[in-house]
């Protein structure tokens, strides 16, 4: 067990003939006690500082471990988000391709339908034109007959009669 300042203070030495000067020894012991107390105090302060530094070191070590774990988790999350984004982009592309195919097929179908309708309208226009031509020709033929002249003279005769009457 180490000496304490009290141990030094209470230490008594035996007396002999031709021994040391008691006052000088006491003064020296007093100086040793002061220095020893100072060293003990300094040692306690250093131990407290070491404890504080050790606590801070532990704290920062914990922070470092936490940050490392956080970085790993963040990296894993970023990888997962990236992978999910790629999968979602692929799904969007596939869906867009399906929609594009559907739109193209619908457009082709409508185009065919319109084309058929145009052909049908052309046929109907041709039939109408033929019928109209036939009608016009029949009317022209009627106009070209001799019966119109008689009608024209009868119409004049009726007109004159009306004026007289």
């Amino acid at each position: 067990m180490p000496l304490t300042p009290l141990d030094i203070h209470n230490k008594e030495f035996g007396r002999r003939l031709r021994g040391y000067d008691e006052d000088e020894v006491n003064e020296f012991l007093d100086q040793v006690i002061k220095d020893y107390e100072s060293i003990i105090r300094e040692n306690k302060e250093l131990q407290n500082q070491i404890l504080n530094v050790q606590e801070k070191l532990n704290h920062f070590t914990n922070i470092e471990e936490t940050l490392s774990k956080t970085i790993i988790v963040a990296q894993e999350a970023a990888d997962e988000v990236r992978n999910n984004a790629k999968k979602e982009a692929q799904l969007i592309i596939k869906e867009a391709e399906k929609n594009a195919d559907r739109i193209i097929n619908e457009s082709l179908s409508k185009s065919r339908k319109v084309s058929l309708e145009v052909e049908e309208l052309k046929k109907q226009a041709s039939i109408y034109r033929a019928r109209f031509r036939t009608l016009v020709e029949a009317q022209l033929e009627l106009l070209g007959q001799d019966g119109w002249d008689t009608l024209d003279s009868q119409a004049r005769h009726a007109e004159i009669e009306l004026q007289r009457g």
Side-chain angles (χ1 to χ4, degrees), residues 10-107:
N10 289 336
K11 177 67 177 167
E12 289 196 21
F13 297 95
R15 295 184 193 261
R16 293 195 179 171
L17 232 179
R18 293 180 11 140
Y20 294 108
D21 180 4
E22 192 176 329
D23 289 337
E24 277 183 45
V25 169
N26 285 338
E27 280 180 32
F28 182 74
L29 287 174
D30 286 343
Q31 184 61 41
V32 168
I33 290 170
K34 284 181 189 175
D35 290 348
Y36 196 67
E37 283 176 341
S38 172
I39 288 174
I40 288 173
R41 252 186 269 113
E42 187 177 324
N43 189 18
K44 282 185 181 181
E45 287 174 9
L46 290 174
Q47 286 177 351
N48 286 338
Q49 287 177 3
I50 288 173
L51 286 175
N52 286 337
V53 168
Q54 187 64 43
E55 285 177 10
K56 287 180 182 178
L57 178 63
N58 290 340
H59 176 71
F60 289 122
T61 302
N62 287 339
I63 289 175
E64 180 184 16
E65 288 174 8
T66 302
L67 286 174
S68 293
K69 289 177 184 176
T70 303
I71 289 171
I72 290 170
V73 168
Q75 183 64 42
E76 289 172 352
D79 291 343
E80 187 176 336
V81 166
R82 188 178 313 115
N83 290 336
N84 287 342
K86 283 181 182 178
K87 288 178 185 176
E88 190 172 335
Q90 289 172 348
L91 289 174
I92 289 171
I93 288 170
K94 284 181 182 180
E95 187 66 29
E97 287 172 348
K98 284 181 186 177
N99 283 339
D101 288 343
R102 181 184 51 77
I103 290 170
I104 288 170
N105 289 335
E106 287 176 1
S107 296

Side-chain angles (χ1 to χ4, degrees), residues 139-156:
Q139 294 298 317
L140 284 174
E141 191 178 311
L142 263 174
L143 287 174
Q145 291 178 356
D146 290 334
W148 282 102
D149 291 336
T150 3
L151 282 175
D152 190 32
S153 63
Q154 285 176 356
R156 279 188 202 150

